Amino acid sequence: MLLALVLSSLSCAAPARNEEFFGKTDPPPDNVMRYISGDEPESLDPHLSSGQPEARIFLALYEGLVEYDAKTMDPVPAIAERWDENNDSSEFVFHLRHNARWSNGDSISARDFVYSFRRGVAPETLSRSASLAFYIRQAENYNQGAVFVRDPKTNQFLLQKDFGGEANVIPLSETPLNAATGEFKPSAAEPTPDKDTAFHQLMHSPERLTLPGAEKARQAALAKNPKLQEAVAGKEFVPVKAEDVGVEAVDDYTLRISLRQSTPFFLGLLANQFFRPVPQKVIETYGRDWTNPGHIVTNGPFKVKAWRPYNELTLERDPMYWDAANVHLDGIRFFPMADQPTMMNLYRVGEVDAVANHAIISAWVDEVRYKKDYMAAPEAAVIYMVMNTTKPPMNDIRVRRAFDLAMDKETALKWRKIVKPLYGITPHGIFAGYPEPKERKFDPVKARQLLAEAGYPVIDNKNGTFSCPSFPIEQVEYTFPTAASNKITAEFWQAQWKQNLGITVPLRSMEFKTFVDSRSKLDYKGMAFGAWGADYMDPFTFLGNFYTPENDNNTGWWDKRYVDLLDEANRNPDRGKRYELLGQAEQLMMDAQPIIPIETATVNWTKKPYVKGMYPNAGSLFPWKHVYFERDRSKWDSGTPSLVATTTDNGGVSFPGN
Amino acid sequence: MLRFIIRRLLITIPTILVVITLTWGLVKLAPGNFYTTDKSIPRAIRQRIKEKYGYDKPWYVQYAKTVWPIIRHLDFGISLKYQGQSVTSIIVRSLPVSAGVGLMAYLLALIVGITFGSIAALKQNSRWDYASMAAAMLGISIPNFVVGPLLVLVFSLTLYWLPPARWDGLFSRHTILPVLTLSAIYMAYIARLTRAGMLEVLRSDYIRTARSKGLRERDVVIRHALRAGLMPVVSFTGPALAFLLTGTVVVEKIFALPGLGNYFIQASLNRDEPLIIGIVAFISITLLLMNLLVDIAYAFLDPRIRY
Amino acid sequence: MKEDPPEIRNTTNGESDLIHTPPEFAVAEGDIHVLPEDEFVAGTSLWKDAWRRLLKNKLAVFGLIVVTLTAIISLIGPPLIKSATGYTYDYIPSDVMLIKSIPPFKSAAGSFSWSHPMGTDNSGRDLLARVLLGGRISLMVGIISTFVSLIIGVSYGAIAGYLGGRIDNWMMRIVDVLYSLPYVILVIVLLAVFRSSTAVGQLILLFVALGSVSWLTMARIVRGQVLSLKNQEFVLAARATGVSTGRIIFRHVVPNTLGPVIVYATLTIPQVMLTEAFLSFLGFGVQPPLASWGSLAAEGIQNIGIFPWQLIFPGVTMALTLFSLNFLGDGLRDALDPQMRT
């Protein structure tokens, strides 16, 4: 009887589904945005949460030196009005605006940023994204608890260059300051470099030698270098302190940051939530509890009104915000939710105004993509498979290449409908002017040939199928984190390998945390799922994963030539040449095939047509101050709004409207 | 009676301790830990995290550190995943959601179930009886994760009457579908139990005596029969609570409710040790206490039982 | 003898505790020597009586038929379908068009076709084949897990009940404690620590995990029964003749508890199937490309707003089977209960 009820009501309601938009489109009576942000935020402390759901919330609560442009995600001035960059991007000076304030009325100064950066990399903070700041001088050493070596008699520190520990190329931020005019490009606004300080002199002197802070590690390092061991005798070890980190408040509104190497993408990096300021006084008063709704102080366009975990985070507009006049919404209600169908159901019924990215699972895409409220645009995120190059049979490059060539990604593209196949590690179509790696298309014949060369001949069963009995199938499986979409894709690849190579790779789905653990320890057999979203808008955020064999490498592959190419690229001030070098590095890596690239993601979300100022940019991060509800139906968004930036006086931002 | 209660309460304490120990052991065995994210963490930071939470100490030290505060002042510590939130505050915050939905569902189930079950028993073998029992059978057989989405499909996604998910306070439109979903299976069980219990009692001697004394049927039913006939329902309440928990987890997942069940699943997936232990301990205490209450109620209902 | 009612009471339906096995049925097969003359007087045995009563119960018969049909269809169905339409449960068509639908629902891909009588799932796999496979696996999980729990529970309960005293006390305390352990954790740990790379291995783990959860109530029931049986005369007789304790428990006492045990087992199977479905929700149940009704329902729920048939078909099939199993269980219980109820 229940069934009859279901069927009858559905057939009555079926016509309602042929509208242009997906579900109800009545704007709410008030000016409060209801948005599904993703998983429940771990914390409202920008140093402690590194995920994308939290990032979206932080863009409403905190504002950094720079902010993302709503369409292109380029860094635009925020708390910093303007800045100077030295000739090899190893030192930056920021000039802050004078009218920026915290939500409790206190004004924001350069000292706030010095405190925040120091706190972020402080070992006690236990920030998991501290590595983003390791480009700053001594930040990594401070974070790892390293020590300087000082002679107690002369108070001189031992220097890196005396013990061969120096990099091949010294960044301009480390060269002595006599060559000051060579360092900065004088401009009309800034004809001479800024005021000098003792700290600045220090930054421009040769790098000090550091040793690991932990006893055992230090002994091991010393044992390797007898000259060092001898020099260290009789000296004292001075821990690297917060004050040694290369950030300095030259005065109340001038901030200088010294980097340890050329970092041309540093400005884009600064928009990341990690670099947004946190209120020193509040943290020192309340400690861990400083983010409780009663205590928390923020500096963004909105402030916290209430927080019911797992249910709703309610924000209201902050009148103390320096640009409050240009903030349109009166409040935002963030609903934490990770289940895609539930998200879309709520959206459809009109309970929310927009949903997080990747809300629509592939099976629904056909039903949703032609609706006018569907947002399709390339995303700065890639999906690939990592292979464990430390264990056979995947340690043989021919086997790895064979598995790559046996996958028909072009067909998968058609099947998934909204993503593009990928042939490298950087996302396709995101970085203008970047040379994309060579396309290795689907070639099952070559794949079988490679496998045979590697010692695992593929037998043609003559009935349209293949088999490969010599392949050590018990040493290979494909592991992925448990999720509906992952399972479907995994099964597709399994079918591909079976059809083209005659190998049925076992599938293993693991709960997410177990999966990440197993993958980073190189515990997994054969192949595993991999995905990476950009931390900042530069190819290096993807290429840098393979800079060391540890951390997010997950494959065990490492090549010095690759690292050298990356370093050379970063030192190059010419953007075109830099991209070229990065491209060469990427090609080198893809030729070695430690991964099987699969696809560039698409943003894939929906927003109601009356929500304007919110663009499907490559990172799905929205500066909320620009968002507003349009009540005039004729001005509603119909389709994906254009992401082409229209330039205006403040460089790249144009609002409201398209 | 009093001695019985005291004895049971005393036994509860070591039982809970054993439960906590077992849970702690199981969580320790599980691979993965709470600070894993999809971007891996530099080794030194990981080491520091380990030191802070004491994971590098031997197991008995970790055990003592976990259990001693619980014994002394019921301090279950701070959640590892939800920075700065104490386990107790999380439980206190999410309990009203789960308990609210659960209680409302159970009450609804009791009202509907007992009514229909009694009617079925009184009009045995009639159309009422068969219809009610068939419906009850259906209720037991259709899993709640089928009922829930079907209800959502009809009342929310098609008719747009009710919201398909989320929580807005106990007495809001958002509660209707979860309560209905959760109560379906209990309605069915309770109806069947009531019917069976009532049938047994209605046939017994003392009811025949009551009837032959000339008491009105209504008095017979309500004052005599129901009391004894409800015993199976009362005894069902114990294990029903265990079911209620898992049923609540499913309902909370389908409707995205911020309740204890949802937190529990998240905590297990996150390997959030203090939260897991806290919730497990809380559930155990509740179950044991409820079982005790049920035993006491049993004694009231059936004067033959004596402790 | 002063029984402890709360112990027997904790069953999932209160009815079985009201069964008190009358003495006349507590006969162990090997202990009675039938004199030749008595053979003509022999009445029907307990089992034949029960069977007759069962057959009289229409609903139970219906249940029995459906269950048997389901079992048969699960066994021979997939090969049949394969020869009829060419689809197996794991075949993903490489031509990208999928999601065939069922009227009155529509999908962008296409409408009804006889080659997919139940439509397809999100990857294009035939739903009918998957539902049939799901039947196989769900039933298998249900039956084998119940069997596992039966073995553990009966032994445990019989030993506890027979030995009595402090051993009994401690054994039941352990049961109490285990009752309070939320099994989600148990299963997560179990399935994570003892990894299995093959789908079959995963299934076996599942059997063990599920079986180890449901034995508790079985143990309680059996213990209750044994408590009431152990002072019967036939037991005293066996002890007097020097039969070892083990044999007494397993060859004399346990067979007489089989009535409620069978009933409870038949009622456990649907519970276990429901539990397995719940675990599939979390991704710990059956792994791809296999499917069980539970995992199919979990997949179907994802698409309830757009492709409702993906939930309706497995859901209805599952409900129907559980329905029948419950009827069967009810019928068995009524049949084995000497006090006629209906």
Side-chain angles (χ1 to χ4, degrees):
Chain A
M1 335 138 224
L2 189 60
L3 215 61
L5 177 65
V6 167
L7 288 174
S8 53
S9 61
L10 284 170
S11 17
C12 302
R17 279 204 255 139
N18 292 333
E19 305 159 349
E20 329 169 55
F21 299 107
F22 187 64
K24 277 169 81 161
T25 52
D26 302 315
D30 57 17
N31 233 359
V32 175
M33 173 101 187
R34 295 159 306 170
Y35 179 69
I36 296 187
S37 48
D39 259 321
E40 169 74 13
E42 274 182 44
S43 162
L44 294 182
D45 184 334
H47 290 148
L48 295 181
S49 315
S50 50
Q52 219 189 17
E54 289 92 348
R56 287 189 267 262
I57 298 176
F58 293 148
L59 258 77
L61 288 176
Y62 300 97
E63 198 179 55
L65 290 167
V66 297
E67 182 58 274
Y68 294 110
D69 175 281
K71 293 184 186 179
T72 63
M73 292 197 68
D74 289 331
V76 298
I79 302 279
E81 285 180 325
R82 59 192 168 83
W83 49 80
D84 310 307
E85 181 177 342
N86 74 351
N87 289 347
D88 69 346
S89 307
S90 60
E91 189 169 295
F92 289 79
V93 178
F94 293 91
H95 302 276
L96 309 186
R97 63 180 59 253
H98 296 238
N99 59 346
R101 285 192 287 173
W102 294 100
S103 56
N104 64 357
D106 293 343
S107 60
I108 300 181
S109 73
R111 274 172 259 287
D112 283 310
F113 282 95
V114 171
Y115 170 77
S116 302
F117 289 1
R118 284 181 182 164
R119 179 194 183 250
V121 296
E124 311 78 64
T125 310
L126 291 177
S127 168
R128 284 174 253 156
S129 33
S131 49
L132 289 173
F134 284 175
Y135 297 103
I136 304 180
R137 292 282 285 284
Q138 303 300 354
E140 183 170 8
N141 287 330
Y142 172 46
N143 184 270
Q144 315 286 359
V147 293
F148 294 132
V149 186
R150 182 173 64 188
D151 187 337
K153 293 190 281 258
T154 61
N155 262 348
Q156 294 285 25
F157 288 89
L158 292 185
L159 298 174
Q160 201 78 280
K161 64 179 164 84
D162 295 329
F163 298 94
E166 186 182 78
N168 297 338
V169 177
I170 307 175
L172 283 178
S173 59
E174 207 177 302
T175 53
L177 266 178
N178 334 332
T181 44
E183 185 184 341
F184 280 90
K185 286 193 281 263
S187 65
E190 202 68 40
T192 56
D194 292 283
K195 153 170 110 185
D196 211 359
T197 58
F199 184 73
H200 194 206
Q201 299 274 1
L202 180 62
M203 286 288 118
H204 276 269
S205 60
E207 179 103 3
R208 290 183 195 164
L209 176 73
T210 51
L211 290 174
E215 185 78 35
K216 258 182 29 180
R218 192 164 57 225
Q219 302 294 7
L222 287 176
K224 288 205 207 112
N225 191 337
K227 178 178 173 207
L228 190 57
Q229 190 151 29
E230 191 189 308
V232 159
K235 310 276 193 311
E236 55 188 10
F237 295 120
V238 180
V240 178
K241 294 191 305 296
E243 291 73 31
D244 297 315
V245 175
V247 289
E248 182 191 2
V250 179
D251 58 43
D252 273 346
Y253 298 106
T254 314
L255 178 74
R256 176 154 44 213
I257 306 184
S258 303
L259 305 170
R260 70 177 179 193
Q261 64 191 80
S262 293
T263 316
F265 48 85
F266 189 62
L267 278 174
L269 185 56
L270 276 179
N272 188 293
Q273 65 257 35
F274 179 83
F275 297 101
R276 297 184 187 228
V278 290
Q280 177 172 9
K281 283 205 285 259
V282 179
I283 299 179
E284 288 173 348
T285 315
Y286 296 109
R288 277 277 134 142
D289 286 340
W290 78 271
T291 51
N292 289 354
H295 304 151
I296 188 173
V297 166
T298 55
N299 73 328
F302 295 90
K303 58 178 179 169
V304 176
K305 184 170 169 195
W307 187 14
R308 288 204 64 184
Y310 263 127
N311 192 242
E312 180 177 332
L313 172 63
T314 325
L315 305 189
E316 60 187 356
R317 65 156 65 225
D318 181 359
M320 292 290 171
Y321 177 62
W322 64 270
D323 206 14
N326 285 330
V327 175
H328 307 282
L329 293 171
D330 288 323
I332 307 179
R333 297 171 69 191
F334 286 111
F335 301 144
M337 202 169 288
D339 186 47
Q340 292 153 307
T342 319
M343 275 191 227
M344 294 314 295
N345 287 342
L346 281 170
Y347 176 82
R348 189 167 169 191
V349 172
E351 291 270 321
V352 299
D353 304 305
V355 295
N357 58 341
H358 298 300
I360 299 145
I361 57 185
S362 42
W364 289 36
V365 168
D366 263 338
E367 311 290 317
V368 177
R369 74 204 288 217
Y370 299 114
K371 302 280 184 207
K372 302 258 179 64
D373 47 350
Y374 177 69
M375 301 286 120
E379 192 179 41
V382 293
I383 298 191
Y384 51 99
M385 280 189 203
V386 290
M387 292 186 276
N388 193 338
T389 60
T390 61
K391 298 190 195 156
M394 287 308 178
N395 56 352
D396 185 338
I397 184 181
R398 292 170 296 195
V399 176
R400 301 201 292 269
R401 183 93 82 229
F403 271 84
D404 184 4
L405 293 175
M407 290 162 70
D408 190 354
K409 299 175 204 153
E410 290 74 29
T411 305
L413 143 75
K414 274 197 288 167
W415 176 59
R416 294 281 307 280
K417 291 179 205 72
I418 51 169
V419 296
K420 297 198 172 27
L422 185 66
Y423 301 104
I425 185 101
T426 52
H428 168 82
I430 299 277
F431 303 115
Y434 182 76
E436 308 247 331
K438 200 163 64 185
E439 290 187 4
R440 284 206 174 87
K441 294 224 165 128
F442 175 52
D443 191 343
V445 173
K446 180 121 190 277
R448 289 193 279 272
Q449 191 189 346
L450 281 169
L451 257 192
E453 277 174 36
Y456 311 113
V458 180
I459 304 169
D460 187 341
N461 293 337
K462 300 290 187 280
N463 59 358
T465 66
F466 295 95
S467 56
C468 188
S470 53
F471 192 78
I473 194 65
E474 67 286 346
Q475 289 172 25
V476 169
E477 61 186 12
Y478 175 58
T479 318
F480 57 93
T482 311
S485 42
N486 291 346
K487 200 161 88 147
I488 294 181
T489 329
E491 290 165 351
F492 184 80
W493 300 130
Q494 185 188 46
Q496 287 279 296
W497 288 319
K498 185 169 170 186
Q499 271 163 239
N500 296 314
L501 296 176
I503 301 176
T504 306
V505 176
L507 297 180
R508 176 208 285 277
S509 109
M510 256 193 227
E511 184 269 314
F512 183 67
K513 289 193 167 283
T514 325
F515 168 73
V516 173
D517 213 40
S518 156
R519 186 180 62 178
S520 70
K521 290 200 202 123
L522 292 179
D523 243 351
Y524 65 96
K525 296 195 286 195
M527 300 160 284
F529 174 86
W532 190 258
D535 284 318
Y536 47 91
M537 286 294 139
D538 186 277
F540 192 74
T541 179
F542 294 96
L543 298 169
N545 279 344
F546 300 94
Y547 200 79
T548 72
E550 304 155 335
N551 295 345
D552 290 302
N553 186 317
N554 294 330
T555 64
W557 176 83
W558 189 82
D559 191 325
K560 182 154 194 332
R561 294 172 297 168
Y562 179 77
V563 173
D564 285 340
L565 271 171
L566 289 181
D567 281 339
E568 194 187 328
N570 278 336
R571 281 196 299 272
N572 202 311
D574 175 47
R575 184 188 165 122
K577 187 84 174 84
R578 176 170 178 264
Y579 270 6
E580 197 185 303
L581 287 166
L582 288 176
Q584 280 177 22
E586 186 172 2
Q587 189 62 57
L588 185 105
M589 183 186 83
M590 289 318 298
D591 286 337
Q593 195 99 46
I595 62 167
I596 299 180
I598 300 186
E599 69 192 43
T600 306
T602 310
V603 291
N604 194 18
W605 50 284
T606 54
K607 72 166 178 66
K608 297 288 182 194
Y610 50 81
V611 176
K612 310 272 286 179
M614 194 173 175
Y615 299 90
N617 56 41
S620 294
L621 292 173
F622 316 108
W624 294 99
K625 68 194 261 194
H626 303 297
V627 178
Y628 65 99
F629 288 161
E630 176 60 71
R631 310 265 167 194
D632 181 356
R633 266 183 195 239
S634 62
K635 299 214 189 103
W636 278 8
D637 271 341
S638 182
T640 312
S642 148
L643 290 181
V644 173
T646 47
T647 47
T648 61
D649 296 26
N650 52 359
V653 175
S654 145
F655 295 107
N658 254 338
Chain B
M1 178 69 140
L2 198 58
R3 265 199 317 171
F4 170 75
I5 298 181
I6 295 186
R7 223 168 23 114
R8 280 285 283 266
L9 284 175
L10 282 179
I11 295 187
T12 311
I13 300 178
T15 315
I16 302 280
L17 265 178
V18 173
V19 169
I20 293 181
T21 309
L22 273 174
T23 316
W24 176 88
L26 285 175
V27 174
K28 280 294 175 219
L29 272 178
N33 33 49
F34 73 94
Y35 47 81
T36 321
T37 58
D38 56 346
K39 310 209 166 167
S40 73
I41 316 161
R43 194 167 305 168
I45 297 187
R46 210 185 309 176
Q47 179 62 23
R48 211 173 300 277
I49 296 183
K50 269 202 198 159
E51 279 166 27
K52 169 162 190 213
Y53 291 104
Y55 284 172
D56 51 342
K57 302 230 175 43
W59 64 268
Y60 40 87
V61 174
Q62 293 188 44
Y63 178 67
K65 268 186 69 177
T66 313
V67 173
W68 187 235
I70 299 180
I71 301 182
R72 286 201 65 195
H73 25 244
L74 275 187
D75 171 17
F76 286 98
I78 305 208
S79 160
L80 298 177
K81 174 85 178 183
Y82 304 107
Q83 315 266 354
Q85 297 177 39
S86 77
V87 169
T88 326
S89 70
I90 295 180
I91 296 184
V92 162
R93 178 175 69 216
S94 55
L95 184 60
V97 177
S98 304
V101 171
L103 276 174
M104 279 178 76
Y106 202 64
L107 271 172
L108 183 64
L110 278 176
I111 297 176
V112 173
I114 294 182
T115 316
F116 279 96
S118 320
I119 297 181
L122 288 172
K123 299 186 197 296
Q124 194 184 4
N125 288 333
S126 70
R127 251 190 295 241
W128 270 113
D129 186 15
Y130 280 132
S132 307
M133 283 305 108
M137 195 53 103
L138 210 65
I140 299 185
S141 315
I142 303 187
N144 51 6
F145 54 81
V146 173
V147 171
L150 280 181
L151 285 176
V152 167
L153 178 62
V154 172
F155 292 104
S156 182
L157 298 177
T158 313
L159 295 173
Y160 289 173
W161 286 354
L162 294 170
R166 287 201 62 243
W167 173 260
D168 225 358
L170 193 53
F171 301 106
S172 72
R173 294 159 59 230
H174 287 80
T175 329
I176 298 181
L177 287 181
V179 166
L180 272 180
T181 312
L182 195 52
S183 64
I185 194 169
Y186 298 104
M187 262 188 237
Y189 266 119
I190 291 178
R192 280 160 52 95
L193 286 175
T194 314
R195 177 182 177 277
M198 290 286 279
L199 279 180
E200 167 119 355
V201 157
L202 284 172
R203 256 201 296 270
S204 62
D205 292 335
Y206 74 98
I207 293 297
R208 245 185 292 165
T209 319
R211 277 203 183 116
S212 61
K213 272 206 304 191
L215 285 181
R216 280 185 305 175
E217 187 67 17
R218 205 178 60 174
D219 276 342
V220 172
V221 170
I222 298 182
R223 289 183 55 202
H224 298 280
L226 214 52
R227 218 168 160 221
L230 283 186
M231 292 225 297
V233 176
V234 171
S235 65
F236 174 63
T237 312
L241 282 171
F243 273 164
L244 208 60
L245 175 69
T246 65
T248 318
V249 170
V250 171
V251 163
E252 284 175 19
K253 180 145 200 274
I254 298 178
F255 293 97
L257 305 176
L260 211 53
N262 218 344
Y263 267 111
F264 180 67
I265 296 291
Q266 291 298 319
S268 318
L269 293 177
N270 287 333
R271 312 275 188 276
D272 190 345
E273 196 185 293
L275 190 53
I276 298 176
I277 295 183
I279 297 185
V280 169
F282 179 77
I283 294 173
S284 311
I285 298 181
T286 315
L287 278 180
L288 289 171
L289 280 179
M290 290 301 291
N291 273 326
L292 179 58
L293 280 176
V294 165
D295 284 346
I296 298 178
Y298 220 61
F300 276 121
L301 283 181
D302 186 350
R304 290 176 292 172
I305 294 179
R306 203 176 311 208
Y307 292 117
Chain C
M1 176 185 57
K2 190 167 165 187
E3 298 203 33
D4 208 6
E7 300 309 318
I8 315 179
R9 185 196 58 241
N10 286 324
T11 61
T12 54
N13 57 56
E15 293 151 283
S16 37
D17 63 66
L18 298 175
I19 298 176
H20 303 292
T21 321
E24 61 255 29
F25 289 113
V27 176
E29 313 265 11
D31 287 352
I32 305 292
H33 302 286
V34 179
L35 300 172
E37 312 93 74
D38 293 340
E39 276 174 9
F40 304 104
V41 186
T44 54
S45 74
L46 162 66
W47 300 107
K48 282 219 206 97
D49 248 347
W51 182 247
R52 241 184 346 147
R53 267 200 295 269
L54 185 67
L55 285 179
K56 279 208 225 141
N57 182 344
K58 287 186 290 221
L59 286 176
V61 171
F62 167 74
L64 185 59
I65 294 181
V66 172
V67 170
T68 326
L69 262 180
T70 317
I72 296 180
I73 293 183
S74 322
L75 277 176
I76 64 169
L80 258 183
I81 296 293
K82 182 151 185 208
S83 55
T85 63
Y87 289 113
T88 58
Y89 67 90
D90 61 351
Y91 176 69
I92 302 182
S94 52
D95 82 323
V96 130
M97 255 347 166
L98 37 128
I99 320 199
K100 303 279 184 270
S101 54
I102 298 288
F105 311 115
K106 282 224 295 276
S107 87
S111 47
F112 186 72
S113 75
W114 274 109
S115 58
H116 292 292
M118 280 189 184
T120 65
D121 71 357
N122 282 352
S123 318
R125 290 178 291 210
D126 180 33
L127 201 60
L128 177 58
R130 291 186 69 92
V131 169
L132 289 177
L133 175 80
R136 253 194 210 174
I137 297 201
S138 291
L139 279 176
M140 221 173 36
V141 169
I143 294 178
I144 297 188
S145 302
T146 309
F147 193 64
V148 169
S149 80
L150 211 146
I151 303 227
I152 305 179
V154 167
S155 322
Y156 196 90
I159 296 178
Y162 189 76
L163 294 179
R166 295 182 64 199
I167 303 185
D168 174 32
N169 219 358
W170 279 108
M171 287 179 91
M172 281 302 122
R173 283 294 149 241
I174 296 180
V175 169
D176 274 339
V177 164
L178 288 179
Y179 233 70
S180 348
L181 257 190
Y183 63 84
V184 176
I185 299 240
L186 232 185
V187 171
I188 291 180
V189 175
L190 207 63
L191 294 173
V193 170
F194 303 104
R195 277 192 233 180
S196 169
S197 47
T198 61
V200 176
Q202 191 75 1
L203 274 180
I204 296 187
L205 268 178
L206 208 56
F207 296 150
V208 172
L210 287 173
S212 57
V213 164
S214 19
W215 68 264
L216 297 170
T217 320
M218 183 76 75
R220 279 195 177 153
I221 295 184
V222 170
R223 175 187 173 274
Q225 289 294 308
V226 166
L227 277 182
S228 65
L229 285 179
K230 76 176 177 187
N231 291 328
Q232 300 285 352
E233 285 161 353
F234 75 98
V235 172
L236 294 172
R239 248 196 291 191
T241 54
V243 183
S244 72
T245 318
R247 280 194 86 188
I248 296 184
I249 296 182
F250 287 105
R251 286 208 57 200
H252 298 298
V253 177
V254 164
N256 287 296
T257 65
L258 277 183
V261 164
I262 290 187
V263 169
Y264 185 66
T266 321
L267 291 172
T268 313
I269 297 182
Q271 279 173 41
V272 169
M273 288 168 73
L274 275 177
T275 311
E276 178 273 322
F278 166 67
L279 287 175
S280 300
F281 233 43
L282 296 175
F284 285 105
V286 176
Q287 298 298 332
L290 293 179
S292 76
W293 282 331
S295 75
L296 286 177
E299 287 172 23
I301 289 176
Q302 299 285 316
N303 300 311
I304 190 71
I306 296 207
F307 311 130
W309 68 86
Q310 288 182 6
L311 171 67
I312 293 182
F313 281 118
V316 165
T317 323
M318 187 171 190
L320 200 62
T321 313
L322 293 182
F323 201 62
S324 322
L325 275 170
N326 279 323
F327 270 138
L328 185 59
D330 264 2
L332 274 177
R333 190 193 43 242
D334 287 347
L336 287 173
D337 186 340
Q339 292 174 305
M340 293 287 222
R341 289 175 178 269
T342 23

